[in-house]
Amino acid sequence: MITVTESAVAKIRDILAEENNPSLKLRVFVQGGGCSGFSYGFTFDEEINEDDFEFPISNFKVLVDSMSMQYLQGAEIDYKEEIMGSQFTIKNPNAVT
């Protein structure tokens, strides 16, 4: 299971409204990051792949592929607006560093 905070839900809704494409879903994934290990990625996708996990959140869906799901189980997606900028973040109880 993945959770999404209210601030992240609000930002995702804003982005989806700007795109004006009801087929878009938020895809969250883990990718190799070289020396720094894994990194998280976010994109919008119209397609649902055979190995995707789907999480209905509010009026949109979050997609996670099966490889990424093993690393994201129990994670929380948040959106923060700070002086240094705005960004989506992931609080992951499985990450050790």
Side-chain angles (χ1 to χ4, degrees):
M1 183 68 168
I2 291 178
T3 58
V4 182
T5 65
E6 285 302 315
S7 62
V9 167
K11 186 60 178 177
I12 294 165
R13 279 187 193 151
D14 289 347
I15 294 169
L16 290 172
E18 287 177 18
E19 292 296 321
N20 196 25
N21 181 348
S23 298
L24 288 179
K25 298 140 192 74
L26 176 67
R27 180 172 294 282
V28 182
F29 56 92
V30 175
Q31 61 187 10
C35 298
S36 62
F38 291 114
S39 62
Y40 303 108
F42 300 91
T43 188
F44 288 96
D45 197 343
E46 292 181 340
E47 301 296 322
I48 299 173
N49 298 325
E50 190 174 297
D51 70 332
D52 283 341
F53 289 85
E54 293 180 58
F55 299 97
I57 307 287
S58 187
N59 61 340
F60 60 89
K61 290 183 181 178
V62 175
L63 304 176
V64 181
D65 65 84
S66 60
M67 190 282 298
S68 297
M69 190 63 207
Q70 63 186 326
Y71 299 105
L72 292 171
Q73 186 67 30
E76 177 186 78
I77 300 170
D78 194 12
Y79 182 76
K80 297 185 184 235
E81 292 188 28
E82 299 173 342
I83 295 172
M84 300 299 285
S86 304
Q87 66 181 354
F88 285 100
T89 62
I90 292 188
K91 294 179 189 172
N92 189 342
N94 303 308
V96 291
T97 58

